[in-house]
Amino acid sequence: MKATQSTPSCDANGIVIKDISSDTQVNYSGEKYTGYVLDKSTLLACPEVIPSFDCDTAEIFKEWSHSAWDDFHHAYLIIPTSVIEELNAISPENEVYYYIARQVLRRLRRLVEKVKFVSDEKKTNKLKTAIYFPQQKNLFTVFPNTRSLPFFGNSGLKDPVGQLLGAVDSAKNHVMIGSLVLLTNDEAIAIRARATGTATASLASKAPTYTGRREVTVPFELYEDFMSSNCGISLETWQQFMPDEPRLFANEFIVMTPKLGQNGYDVLKSKFEEYRNIGRFDCKSQRIVHLYYIHNLTTIRPKNAGQAMYLEAINHPDISVVVVTGSAGTGKTFLSTVCGKELHESHRFPQCITIPCAIDFQRAHGYLPGSFDEKIEPNIAPFKNALKNYLKLTDEKFKTAIKRSHNDKLDSTDREEANANPKKKGGKKSADANLGNDIERMADKLYRECYKTIAVEAARGLDLADAFVIYDEFQDQGPREADTLLKRLGTNVKAIIAGDIEQVHQEGLNRQNNGISFIKHYITDLPMVAQISLGKGEVVRSEFVKDYIARRDPNQD
């Protein structure tokens, strides 16, 4: 066969080769490549395996490092068109997978149009045309294994797995492929492929999960500069000292720990207040600034670094939306409820709104007997419980009564006297019951004065402006509902979006495709948004809950 010199269509990253078996533009003749066929499950789990260009920075994938693509060297990556058909056939009702599939197809189209990829029309089944990436020495192509199917309308792809395995068999016969692996995260497909003699492997995304916070050991000089300065440090200074750190996102929190000298003799010149070592990246001033707003509340103090970041975000006037995730008992609902009450009483917001997103209420609403208030009561109980705990901490009458109750330990003599005198025993029980009823009534009163409850269904079409809004249990919303609820937020609003992505109750949703995970793709790095992930070590409810969660999820931060 006569060797040809291609006229490559390329930018700095990719070169289109019309006939890879005879082209002399790049020096790969006689070399054997490891071939990888990518299926639908792989592309949905790891879209960044498709090489990208700078034009993708506005996409859902902008925060990804494309490390999955960078892990391949001297590889031939193949996407069959039957897989393209599978992605295109995903229904909008499948919510997050539909959104990801749209983005994958858009990303792939940008790639092939950017490099002007058009396969050889005469021999499309021979894997002749590919995009060559010199830096990794990788080849990439779209293999038309569905050429006999209708081009328009319903493709009639009745056996996508069979089509996929057929593409694998065709790729095995390519002279440049030494060994071939089917990349799939589907167990059934992997078993079927191995039963027919094809090696398989899984591929998971290496994109780091954005938590809104990072803990960094910094040079002592930088640490001292930050601690001593009232206005923090500039982004330029940060980059000079920490050139290898990933870029900072808007309102990302940085917990700094000093790197001490060899003998550990470095000593700060002054004593500083608690949490002084935590900074927030202010994108407006391009500085890492101190937490100025955590003490705006006169009655509540943070119990750990995560709560300090959370309170800072809630009280900061330039932050409109706060997304907080974490295990039960980390204070997500308590701090947001109390902050809403105090901000309302200080006339910062004319109204406070709670929108319970728990799926059990949505199922019951409209079916169970009773008024709206009666049906929604179980779902606003966490907010009222937060106010009860707040009263126990701040109201002097309740504080004194609870302290007296804790100190009133009966010794053996008292116990005998109590048993002999039922009236006295009953009197104490009555006092305890009255105390509980008083706290309950006061919490109900506070809630009615400060908060209005709106059901998820009733929120559609509303303009939530001039309000403090709490979306609770947001992980039980699907992407479509999450999108709708987010678009309700109007001007002069503070929205707290809270939930635990490890506790998804809605059927069909999971850790990857729930409402919180979905919105994170789109709101990360917006200047009015802060995100805080509260770790399992920041559980404050009780030592039992803290230890239980640590044992239940030993690999979770």
Side-chain angles (χ1 to χ4, degrees):
M1 184 183 291
K2 183 180 177 181
T4 59
Q5 176 75 30
S6 68
T7 304
S9 302
C10 68
D11 73 347
N13 296 303
I15 304 168
V16 172
I17 308 296
K18 278 288 186 181
D19 187 348
I20 60 175
S21 62
S22 60
D23 188 84
T24 59
Q25 172 70 15
V26 291
N27 184 24
Y28 53 73
S29 58
E31 298 184 20
K32 292 290 185 181
Y33 281 68
T34 301
Y36 295 95
V37 177
L38 284 69
D39 79 338
K40 180 182 74 170
S41 65
T42 296
L43 290 171
L44 289 175
C46 193
E48 69 269 30
V49 73
I50 300 173
S52 176
F53 299 103
D54 291 338
C55 62
D56 288 327
T57 53
E59 279 195 35
I60 184 175
F61 308 113
K62 67 180 181 178
E63 71 274 20
W64 288 347
S65 62
H66 312 295
S67 57
W69 168 254
D70 293 336
D71 281 348
F72 289 97
H73 295 278
H74 209 262
Y76 195 166
L77 275 69
I78 302 161
I79 300 180
T81 51
S82 62
V83 173
I84 303 298
E85 292 285 347
E86 288 185 82
L87 291 170
N88 193 49
I90 292 177
S91 167
E93 294 180 357
N94 286 330
E95 297 186 327
V96 98
Y97 294 121
Y98 172 79
Y99 284 95
I100 295 177
R102 295 297 101 193
Q103 296 290 352
V104 168
L105 294 174
R106 185 179 299 118
R107 185 182 179 99
L108 185 56
R109 177 178 177 176
R110 286 183 178 179
L111 169 63
V112 297
E113 290 185 348
K114 179 79 173 180
V115 299
K116 298 181 174 59
F117 171 87
V118 179
S119 65
D120 189 322
E121 293 182 3
K122 296 179 181 178
K123 297 181 178 180
T124 55
N125 62 334
K126 301 297 183 183
L127 290 174
K128 292 184 64 176
T129 306
I131 307 169
Y132 179 70
F133 293 86
Q135 185 175 352
Q136 293 92 0
K137 295 185 178 179
N138 286 341
L139 292 165
F140 183 94
T141 195
V142 179
F143 176 47
N145 67 321
T146 54
R147 193 170 179 81
S148 61
L149 297 174
F151 191 78
F152 295 103
N154 187 352
S155 68
L157 192 63
K158 296 180 180 178
D159 183 14
V161 178
Q163 292 280 347
L164 174 66
L165 297 181
V168 171
D169 289 336
S170 297
K172 284 181 181 178
N173 299 323
H174 196 280
V175 294
M176 293 183 60
I177 294 179
S179 60
L180 189 131
V181 178
L182 171 61
L183 293 178
T184 179
N185 296 325
D186 188 303
E187 285 80 5
I189 292 177
I191 294 169
R192 185 169 167 180
R194 285 186 170 269
T196 56
T198 299
T200 61
S202 60
L203 184 66
S205 175
K206 290 190 175 182
T209 301
Y210 179 68
T211 63
R213 59 190 286 185
R214 68 176 75 178
E215 297 188 10
V216 187
T217 300
V218 301
F220 186 83
E221 183 182 351
L222 177 64
Y223 183 81
E224 189 173 41
D225 285 349
F226 177 72
M227 297 291 282
S228 304
S229 172
N230 288 328
C231 59
I233 56 175
S234 68
L235 178 61
E236 184 180 2
T237 300
W238 169 263
Q239 291 171 336
Q240 287 174 354
F241 279 93
M242 309 293 292
D244 297 327
E245 271 295 306
R247 78 176 184 92
L248 295 170
F249 291 96
N251 297 313
E252 183 174 4
F253 292 94
I254 306 100
V255 182
M256 300 187 201
T257 303
K259 182 179 181 180
L260 299 179
Q262 188 173 1
N263 298 317
Y265 292 145
D266 295 318
V267 178
L268 288 173
K269 297 174 182 177
S270 305
K271 290 186 177 180
F272 297 98
E273 61 184 0
E274 196 174 16
Y275 309 121
R276 179 81 172 181
N277 65 317
I278 303 177
R280 178 186 62 84
F281 177 56
D282 185 82
C283 60
K284 186 186 297 184
S285 64
Q286 292 290 287
R287 299 185 68 84
I288 299 174
V289 298
H290 292 287
L291 309 186
Y292 297 119
Y293 296 92
I294 57 173
H295 299 306
N296 272 24
L297 297 179
T298 57
T299 55
I300 299 298
R301 292 289 180 267
K303 292 188 175 182
N304 50 55
Q307 288 195 357
M309 301 172 202
Y310 189 21
L311 286 172
E312 176 76 5
I314 292 176
N315 289 286
H316 199 291
D318 294 336
I319 297 176
S320 302
V321 178
V322 181
V323 180
V324 58
T325 59
S327 299
T330 49
K332 303 184 300 295
T333 304
F334 174 77
L335 291 177
S336 61
T337 305
V338 172
C339 285
K341 168 202 166 294
E342 295 212 354
L343 290 171
H344 173 70
E345 289 177 346
S346 65
H347 307 292
R348 171 94 177 268
F349 294 102
Q351 62 177 337
C352 295
I353 297 171
T354 58
I355 302 181
C357 299
I359 191 61
D360 55 332
F361 168 70
Q362 295 175 56
R363 289 173 179 155
H365 180 47
Y367 295 95
L368 294 178
S371 66
F372 173 81
D373 289 338
E374 290 172 330
K375 285 187 284 190
I376 206 170
E377 180 64 29
N379 293 89
I380 63 175
F383 305 110
K384 291 185 177 181
N385 186 69
L387 292 173
K388 284 193 287 186
N389 289 332
Y390 168 77
L391 289 171
K392 293 175 187 177
L393 291 172
T394 59
D395 189 284
E396 288 300 327
K397 180 181 73 173
F398 296 137
K399 284 170 64 177
T400 302
I402 291 170
K403 185 177 180 180
R404 185 170 58 246
S405 177
H406 287 170
N407 292 334
D408 189 16
K409 305 294 185 183
L410 292 175
D411 59 23
S412 58
T413 304
D414 294 330
R415 200 173 292 115
E416 288 176 7
E417 183 182 347
N419 290 332
N421 190 348
K423 279 190 175 182
K424 184 174 181 180
K425 184 179 177 182
K428 184 178 184 304
K429 284 186 176 180
S430 177
D432 290 343
N434 289 337
L435 175 63
N437 291 336
D438 288 346
I439 295 175
E440 189 90 31
R441 282 193 296 269
M442 182 67 77
D444 285 344
K445 182 174 180 290
L446 268 180
Y447 187 83
R448 288 194 303 272
E449 289 174 350
C450 298
Y451 282 97
K452 175 184 178 181
T453 305
I454 299 177
V456 168
E457 295 81 359
R460 297 185 178 99
L462 297 181
D463 177 9
L464 303 178
D466 301 310
F468 185 93
V469 182
I470 303 176
Y471 290 121
D472 197 40
E473 303 288 351
F474 203 75
Q475 79 279 359
D476 281 344
Q477 297 302 291
R480 192 180 305 171
E481 290 83 4
D483 179 73
T484 299
L485 290 173
L486 240 61
K487 289 188 286 192
R488 299 308 99 213
L489 301 177
T491 57
N492 187 34
V493 71
K494 175 77 72 172
I496 313 300
I497 301 171
D500 180 4
I501 60 174
E502 303 296 337
Q503 298 290 323
V504 180
H505 308 102
Q506 169 70 289
E507 185 178 352
L509 300 182
N510 55 41
R511 193 178 188 277
Q512 285 76 36
N513 71 346
N514 62 80
I516 289 181
S517 298
F518 170 74
I519 65 171
K520 276 175 168 283
H521 286 307
Y522 296 98
I523 65 175
T524 297
D525 206 30
L526 291 179
M528 73 294 294
V529 175
Q531 301 184 46
I532 299 98
S533 179
L534 300 172
K536 63 184 180 184
E538 293 172 326
V539 172
V540 296
R541 179 164 293 163
S542 68
E543 284 300 315
F544 165 74
V545 174
K546 184 176 182 178
D547 291 345
Y548 164 70
I549 291 173
R551 288 191 174 190
R552 187 198 67 187
D553 302 314
N555 298 320
Q556 293 293 331
D557 292 333

